[in-house]
Amino acid sequence: MLPYLRLSGPPYDQGHQQGAAWAERIAHNLELYFRRFEVECKLSPTEARERGARYLQAIRQQNPGYARGLEGIAAGSGQPLVDIATLNVRYEIIYYQFAQDTPPVYLPHEAPNGCTAFALMPAHSADGHLWLGQNWDWMEGVQGALQHITEPDGTRILAFTEAGIFGGKIGLNSHGLGLCINGLVSLGDNWAGLGKPFHLRTYEVLRQKTLRAAQAVVLEEPRTASGNFLLGQGTQALDLEVSPSGVAQWEDPRQLVHANHYLAPERFGIEVPPIEWLDRSHHRAERLALRLAQVEKPGLEDLQAALRDREGAPYAVCRTASQEEYALGEPYRTLASVIMNLGTLELWISDGPPHENPYTRYQV
């Protein structure tokens, strides 16, 4: 089971509670990321911290509460604030390197990818509720955790995060609003633009009361990093592909599936670099869509089986690292699998690839 922590109070208190409870896990994640910054991005610790420091100043203006949360994590864990800030903008740091149109040879030979996500509409689910879920594929060894957060206004949030990243990234709240995510890259990505960072947007989305308010958070300009946000509430789900140059919105009466590629970037003025591993993203999306469509009205067990799919392993919906990745020191795998029922406010999550690890149930 993943570590589970209840948090409450203003942002600084929430951050301090996380920092104190997960100090060892946070130290581990910091060591891992600064090493991967050097291995995969060719960024020295000094360069990475400089980017984190610049972003911290921007975050103080964009959302003072989030900045206070970072201060709380730093104080609770005993880590430098600049390191915690750098960790919280690791998406901008890493994906910027992946987005270059002529990647240098030191970038990963294997796919960083990220996730395979779905939304199953109420009319096509076994119990008549809206379901969201995903496998979260990322760097092997990153320490994740589950948080149950009670905000000062009474909103309750159940969300997966990485130890040291504030607020949550995949989850649902007591208003029945759910969020899944996918990493994307486009030619316009530029960390130095200092637009509202990815994890600040997920933090804000999970604290909204309506789907439209959450959509506004995702689309807020300026956008200086690409990403995919799969949102749902009530009987509606929508998928938002964002980039600095354009936005694509997708809806479907039966199901939505998304991995780590834009579905039709040319239609929305989005330029995508020629990245060789995108074919693996297409495979995962097509395979998950097929598994969901094979059952007339899927239920929980069907959704779990779909996320356990190993067709095309190791680059499957349920991802494991290849021997080449281990040889390069850059392994990726499914670190958590999440399924959410937005009608009953339940969440099931596995600690590691779900074909090897069980799902544990939680409720908001």
Side-chain angles (χ1 to χ4, degrees):
M1 293 171 58
L2 286 166
Y4 174 78
L5 183 64
R6 288 182 175 269
L7 306 172
S8 61
Y12 180 88
D13 293 350
Q14 292 182 26
H16 197 280
Q17 292 161 27
Q18 190 205 123
W22 297 336
E24 291 185 4
R25 300 177 75 83
I26 293 169
H28 169 89
N29 280 352
L30 287 171
E31 180 182 0
L32 183 148
Y33 271 115
F34 277 101
R35 183 174 69 249
R36 297 293 280 263
F37 290 154
E38 289 193 281
V39 171
E40 297 185 51
C41 302
K42 286 297 182 283
L43 284 176
S44 70
T46 298
E47 291 173 308
R49 289 186 176 100
E50 287 175 353
R51 297 185 183 188
R54 287 183 59 184
Y55 246 116
L56 178 60
Q57 296 309 309
I59 290 169
R60 292 190 192 282
Q61 301 299 316
Q62 295 162 349
N63 191 310
Y66 193 90
R68 290 288 289 159
L70 302 187
E71 292 169 359
I73 292 176
S77 65
Q79 297 292 338
L81 176 58
V82 68
D83 286 11
I84 297 299
T86 304
L87 175 62
N88 277 259
V89 296
R90 62 87 176 151
Y91 183 97
E92 283 67 29
I93 292 173
I94 293 173
Y95 272 84
Y96 172 75
Q97 301 301 130
F98 293 157
Q100 305 311 297
D101 56 348
T102 54
V105 296
Y106 54 72
L107 285 182
H109 296 84
E110 297 294 338
N113 283 328
C115 315
T116 317
F118 74 87
L120 179 65
M121 304 307 294
H124 297 277
S125 70
D127 66 353
H129 289 307
L130 175 60
W131 293 74
L132 264 62
Q134 73 172 93
N135 283 351
W136 184 66
D137 305 345
W138 195 231
M139 297 174 178
E140 186 172 277
V142 169
Q143 299 290 302
L146 191 67
Q147 302 175 122
H148 190 291
I149 304 162
T150 302
E151 289 292 315
D153 70 354
T155 297
R156 287 165 287 125
I157 302 154
L158 191 58
F160 170 80
T161 192
E162 300 169 62
I165 291 182
F166 186 61
K169 62 200 300 169
I170 302 164
L172 73 163
N173 67 23
S174 54
H175 308 294
L177 177 70
L179 170 67
C180 291
I181 54 172
N182 307 89
L184 293 177
V185 296
S186 71
L187 292 184
D189 293 343
N190 183 8
W191 73 269
L194 301 179
K196 188 172 285 187
F198 186 87
H199 287 113
L200 174 50
R201 292 183 193 260
T202 64
Y203 166 86
E204 292 183 349
V205 165
L206 287 169
R207 282 148 185 80
Q208 302 306 311
K209 295 179 172 59
T210 68
L211 185 62
R212 291 307 165 200
Q215 181 182 16
V217 168
V218 172
L219 300 183
E220 181 183 344
E221 295 182 333
R223 297 181 303 272
T224 54
S226 300
N228 188 73
F229 299 79
L230 179 56
L231 307 170
Q233 186 181 42
T235 61
Q236 186 179 6
L238 55 90
D239 187 273
L240 298 170
E241 298 175 330
V242 302
S243 80
S245 60
V247 174
Q249 178 172 321
W250 304 96
E251 298 183 60
D252 188 272
R254 178 182 172 88
Q255 66 188 37
L256 290 163
V257 174
H258 208 283
N260 299 103
H261 61 276
Y262 288 97
L263 302 184
E266 64 285 347
R267 284 169 49 187
F268 301 94
I270 300 170
E271 293 186 76
V272 179
I275 303 175
E276 295 180 0
W277 48 258
L278 286 180
D279 61 335
R280 295 170 183 156
S281 176
H282 284 274
H283 168 76
R284 288 184 287 109
E286 292 165 2
R287 184 65 186 172
L288 182 56
L290 175 64
R291 289 297 302 264
L292 294 177
Q294 285 176 337
V295 180
E296 183 177 355
K297 290 193 172 184
L300 174 62
E301 292 185 359
D302 302 306
L303 300 177
Q304 291 176 340
L307 290 179
R308 291 185 176 116
D309 190 83
R310 293 283 291 156
E311 174 68 28
Y315 309 109
V317 170
C318 186
R319 174 85 149 85
T320 50
S322 69
Q323 292 303 312
E324 184 177 358
E325 289 176 298
Y326 282 120
L328 291 168
E330 303 163 356
Y332 288 80
R333 68 190 289 120
T334 296
L335 297 183
S337 182
V338 182
I339 299 172
M340 297 174 277
N341 186 321
L342 301 188
T344 62
L345 304 185
E346 293 174 282
L347 180 150
W348 292 261
I349 189 167
S350 71
D351 183 6
H355 77 297
E356 297 175 342
N357 301 278
Y359 286 91
T360 302
R361 174 190 171 276
Y362 298 86
Q363 191 161 21
V364 174

